[in-house]
Amino acid sequence: MNNSYSESYAAAGVDITAGYKAVELMKEHIARTTTPGVIGSVGGFGGLFAPDLTGMKEPVLVSGTDGVGTKLKLAFLMDKHDTVGIDCVAMCANDVLCCGARPLFFLDYIACGRNDPARIASIVSGVAEGCVQAGAALIGGETAEMPGFYPAEEYDLAGFVVGIVDREKMLDNSAMKPGDVILALPSSGVHSNGFSLVRKIFNVETADIKSSCAALDGASIGETLLTPTKIYIKPMLALMDAVTVKGVSHITGGGFYENIPRSIKAGLGAKIEKSAVRVLPIFDLIQKTGDIPERDMFNTFNMGVGMTAVVDKSDADKAIEILRANGENAYVLGELVESDERVALC
């Protein structure tokens, strides 16, 4: 038992013992994420991981970092803290996946105004669930109690992931050509981007966001917005093992117009069939409530498409079959064309 305690520090608003209690409560969640390669346990000065490089000719480490953003405001208002950790992992892991990388390990950072051990453990339970979904080990993190900097009941959450890929298997858009097919992997909702606009539209701080909403099939606005970001690691890795994937885009802030071009070769454009996009009800409600122009919607939100993948037309049916066998109801979103217009919704 750690006997460290400072009355002076506690008087300033920092309870060291609460930190120890939080670590004890989160250990069971962290244990769920253990994978081969993890060395030791949490609590040291660094997280240790020994990757298995068997069969890899030239391993490349791929890292990504992100946070949850102002979606956390919804967690505070709904007093629900066990899913935002999934968002944090998803935003990082889905990004490194766009390079073809498999996540190895994850670390989180929680800054709070007051260390409530049960709440911190709840947050970490979500991080752990995200790590399980991504196949990554949670090997460390940091909880910083910062009274006077954050309100007592609020916190911020960020993290980073390290993944690995053999250089020869890194995604390379050089083989892209006109006629290649763009596949859509559905999102679970708004994911973790655009929440500054969402919060303004729904006036979440004062409006009733907990009651049933007919436009959302009876779910509340609050719970719908808190739906965690989908993690695409396992189905996409299965796809990459079976067919040649020429490019992947994680549809985050900036929507279609910013993210799809990031994976497309210069000189080509994405021709998106607007009628093919399976827009989720929450986006219809956002657009109607806020009177948002269609282009702004597609330039801010994922609109129901969390990730896109480009494959050869001859591989499209097989790719959709593989993704569906792995739980993703993928579909054809459009195709690549010769164009200086990087994204065109037709």
Side-chain angles (χ1 to χ4, degrees), residues 2-299:
N2 198 316
N3 64 358
S4 173
Y5 178 72
S6 168
E7 289 187 4
S8 299
Y9 212 4
V14 178
D15 185 352
I16 298 174
T17 59
Y20 302 145
K21 177 64 174 175
V23 171
E24 287 302 313
L25 291 175
M26 68 177 69
K27 280 183 177 179
E28 64 176 288
H29 303 298
I30 295 171
R32 294 180 56 218
T33 75
T34 301
T35 62
V38 174
I39 299 175
S41 58
V42 296
F45 288 98
L48 307 178
F49 192 92
D52 181 2
L53 305 181
T54 304
M56 301 188 78
K57 296 178 181 178
E58 192 176 356
V60 176
L61 295 179
V62 183
S63 59
T65 185
D66 210 336
V68 183
T70 63
K71 183 174 184 175
L72 292 176
K73 287 286 189 180
L74 273 298
F76 306 154
L77 292 167
M78 298 291 289
D79 194 24
K80 181 174 175 56
H81 310 282
D82 61 347
T83 60
V84 289
I86 300 175
D87 290 294
C88 191
V89 175
M91 296 305 292
C92 299
N94 287 340
D95 275 359
V96 301
L97 176 64
C98 294
C99 297
R102 170 176 58 88
L104 293 175
F105 58 83
F106 188 84
L107 282 83
D108 61 18
Y109 175 80
I110 304 169
C112 57
R114 178 176 62 87
N115 190 332
D116 178 333
R119 184 172 58 194
I120 297 298
S122 182
I123 297 167
V124 174
S125 74
V127 175
E129 173 59 27
C131 286
V132 169
Q133 292 182 25
L138 179 56
I139 63 171
E142 171 70 9
T143 302
E145 190 172 19
M146 302 167 66
F149 195 87
Y150 291 95
E153 301 305 315
E154 296 191 1
Y155 57 85
D156 197 6
L157 172 62
F160 80 89
V161 70
V162 172
I164 193 167
V165 62
D166 206 341
R167 182 182 285 272
E168 65 181 16
K169 293 183 178 180
M170 289 175 61
L171 297 188
D172 179 3
N173 65 15
S174 62
M176 286 184 180
K177 64 183 187 301
D180 284 344
V181 172
I182 304 169
L183 302 180
L185 282 70
S187 70
S188 55
V190 182
H191 284 182
S192 297
N193 298 102
F195 274 86
S196 293
L197 178 56
V198 167
R199 287 168 43 238
K200 178 182 178 181
I201 289 170
F202 291 127
N203 195 20
V204 297
E205 280 79 10
T206 57
D208 177 11
I209 61 170
K210 297 183 179 181
S211 295
S212 173
C213 177
L216 300 174
D217 295 325
S220 72
I221 290 174
E223 66 183 305
T224 301
L225 292 175
L226 268 186
T227 302
T229 306
K230 189 180 286 189
I231 294 174
Y232 298 98
I233 303 301
K234 294 176 182 179
M236 283 298 295
L237 289 179
L239 178 65
M240 292 175 192
D241 283 341
V243 303
T244 298
V245 178
K246 301 183 181 184
V248 173
S249 288
H250 183 200
I251 311 302
T252 55
F256 282 37
Y257 287 100
E258 279 193 23
N259 291 289
I260 292 178
R262 294 170 69 180
S263 67
I264 295 176
K265 186 171 72 172
L268 297 177
K271 181 183 178 183
I272 305 297
E273 296 295 335
K274 190 166 56 177
S275 62
V277 181
R278 299 174 185 174
V279 179
L280 296 174
I282 184 62
F283 296 111
D284 289 330
L285 185 60
I286 289 170
Q287 183 172 13
K288 181 179 179 180
T289 304
D291 192 24
I292 307 298
E294 181 181 75
R295 194 188 192 287
D296 286 0
M297 291 295 295
F298 279 92
N299 206 167

